Amino acid sequence: MPTERLTFPGHSGHDLAARLDMPDGPHLATALFAHCFTCSKDIPAARRIAQRLADQGIAVLRLDFTGLGHSRGEFANTTFSSNVDDLKAAVAMLSERGMAPCLLIGHSLGGAAVLKLAPELEGIKAVVTLGAPYDPEHVTHNFGGALDEIAANGNASVNLGGRPVTIGQSFVEDVSAANLRYAIAASKAALLVMHAPLDTIVGVENATNIFVAAQHPKSFVTLDDADHLITNPDDACYAADVIASWSTRYLKLARPAPPIGTPEGIVRVREANPRGFLQDIYGGSNHHTLADEPLAYGGTNRGMSPYGFLSAALGACTSMTIRMYARRKGWPLKDVAVDVSYDKMHAQDSGTMDKLDAFKRVITLTGNLDGAQRKRLLEIADKCPVHKTLERSSEVVTELF
């Protein structure tokens, strides 16, 4: 996906660093992503979700809050409210570019921030939270005994995720005073709450409270055994798939026409998990499916194998061709079913031990057809375009970018 690096002034005037992930094709909508507490815009879950939404035609802006990642400023001087103000600055910047967001996505404390922000903005159609706390003060549970030191000295160094972070008293006071109940109830946007029941950082009861406080339409999807940061690529992929599918229902995206000269568009295959063989397959802008290998071959068995798709192409084309002919003739064909299996067989007839690709079709025709009609439909099956393509030699032209 094309990515643009941006900087813009945050709540305090310091430059915030951001990435704007754009669709390869038409831009249909814009989303704003808020990361988890002390994280950055580049965490794997954020990248994965941005990629999936960009594939759906939705641009995604990911920013680092003040003092985090590549953004300027002192994190010790920030608060929960200032994070919300940074998001407002991002919305203003996007609006100036003619890309006002209609979808807000927040992870952990970023989820609390988008819940707080949503009712204050016009044009927000949908909000998604991942592992978000219902009470922002929940984040102070990670500070341990440092709370007394913060109260006494105005700040303290707290170890979060294996690295020291300076937390100021203003942050503790602000986050303690934050209340999301009224903001959640006031929001008119559709809400998707995603949470892992085994999340040890933010308990799943937070998801329950958020869901109960929200108006309809609202949805809840469990992330099963995912950790709080959604570090497992499979969990991030699942979350991204759900968000992409769910959000299109409420954003009411206009689907672009296929490119001129390519009625069926382009089939794009992109690796989904480099640790296995899972592949995302997109047919133009309207269709998405998964390809994979069985567990026995090192895959995760989440989609058909490449040869399974090849068999499916032959079976689908055969059924369509038979239906089209019977419809044109007005014959009483009630139903068509095509079973296809693939194998390699020795070319014994040619006197060699070479192997040939072999597809076996079993065609079932239901309806009050006479013998002549059934025989003719069997002949028509051999005229399906995919069948002809498989029987004759094909050329594959490859270019490297």
Side-chain angles (χ1 to χ4, degrees):
M1 58 187 173
T3 298
E4 181 181 355
R5 296 174 184 267
L6 300 173
T7 59
F8 59 93
H11 77 280
S12 62
H14 292 103
D15 280 347
L16 303 183
R19 289 180 183 269
L20 180 60
D21 301 310
M22 294 294 296
D24 283 332
H27 170 220
L28 305 179
T30 303
L32 176 59
F33 187 100
H35 61 71
C36 51
F37 182 57
T38 74
C39 295
S40 80
K41 64 185 181 304
D42 298 315
I43 61 172
R47 292 199 307 269
R48 184 63 186 161
I49 291 169
Q51 180 185 63
R52 176 69 80 250
L53 292 177
D55 288 334
Q56 296 287 333
I58 302 172
V60 181
L61 182 78
R62 300 177 272 147
L63 74 150
D64 288 330
F65 289 122
T66 297
L68 294 173
H70 296 94
S71 290
R72 302 289 185 178
E74 292 295 331
F75 177 75
N77 297 328
T78 65
T79 63
F80 175 71
S81 295
S82 74
N83 287 348
V84 175
D85 288 338
D86 280 346
L87 292 176
K88 291 179 181 178
V91 171
M93 182 273 294
L94 287 170
S95 298
E96 289 177 0
R97 295 169 64 110
M99 301 176 61
C102 57
L103 170 63
L104 300 177
I105 305 170
H107 182 193
S108 190
L109 192 63
V114 299
L115 289 171
K116 181 71 172 178
L117 178 63
E120 301 180 30
L121 299 177
E122 294 184 5
I124 299 301
K125 303 296 183 184
V127 176
V128 179
T129 64
L130 300 108
Y134 175 68
D135 182 357
E137 187 182 13
H138 186 284
V139 73
T140 62
H141 296 171
N142 300 306
F143 300 166
L147 285 173
D148 291 338
E149 183 180 351
I150 294 172
N153 301 327
N155 63 66
S157 180
V158 178
N159 189 294
L160 297 174
R163 61 189 179 93
V165 177
T166 300
I167 303 295
Q169 178 64 20
S170 59
F171 180 92
V172 175
E173 293 175 353
D174 181 76
V175 79
S176 298
N179 189 316
L180 296 182
R181 182 163 62 95
Y182 298 107
I184 296 171
S187 176
K188 299 298 190 294
L191 175 65
L192 170 61
V193 179
M194 305 188 78
H195 213 111
L198 302 181
D199 189 333
T200 59
I201 304 299
V202 179
V204 72
E205 68 276 3
N206 287 271
T208 300
N209 292 332
I210 292 171
F211 189 84
V212 170
Q215 301 185 57
H216 285 287
K218 55 185 176 180
S219 306
F220 174 79
V221 173
T222 180
L223 293 176
D224 294 330
D225 57 354
D227 59 25
H228 181 66
L229 294 181
I230 320 179
T231 54
N232 187 312
D234 289 337
D235 294 328
C237 178
Y238 173 71
D241 282 339
V242 171
I243 293 171
S245 177
W246 175 88
S247 62
T248 55
R249 178 181 182 89
Y250 299 101
L251 302 185
K252 303 187 185 304
L253 305 180
R255 292 296 178 186
I260 297 175
T262 54
E264 295 182 359
I266 295 174
V267 175
R268 170 165 294 168
V269 180
R270 173 177 285 157
E271 188 176 56
N273 185 357
R275 297 190 305 170
F277 298 108
L278 185 65
Q279 308 291 318
D280 283 316
I281 301 177
Y282 295 92
S285 60
N286 294 303
H287 305 291
H288 171 253
T289 188
L290 297 172
D292 205 346
E293 290 287 357
L295 295 174
Y297 292 93
T300 53
N301 201 32
R302 292 182 59 190
M304 287 197 302
S305 70
Y307 278 106
F309 278 100
L310 198 56
S311 298
L314 176 59
C317 186
T318 298
S319 179
M320 293 175 184
T321 302
I322 290 173
R323 171 57 65 190
M324 182 174 60
Y325 187 85
R327 183 182 295 143
R328 187 167 67 243
K329 289 291 187 179
W331 290 354
L333 176 63
K334 184 178 179 180
D335 183 66
V336 184
V338 183
D339 294 338
V340 181
S341 58
Y342 165 81
D343 198 2
K344 284 185 178 290
M345 56 182 292
H346 288 289
Q348 297 175 350
D349 292 342
S350 63
T352 72
M353 291 303 292
D354 294 337
K355 288 188 175 182
L356 297 178
D357 294 286
F359 293 88
K360 180 181 179 181
R361 284 183 304 190
V362 177
I363 302 173
T364 302
L365 304 177
T366 305
N368 190 23
L369 301 165
D370 58 35
Q373 290 171 331
R374 293 175 62 84
K375 180 180 178 181
R376 180 55 179 161
L377 290 177
L378 182 60
E379 295 171 350
I380 291 299
D382 289 340
K383 298 183 183 298
C384 97
V386 172
H387 184 165
K388 292 183 177 181
T389 298
L390 291 173
E391 283 194 325
R392 63 173 177 257
S393 298
S394 299
E395 179 182 8
V396 178
V397 179
T398 303
E399 298 179 0
L400 179 64
F401 288 93

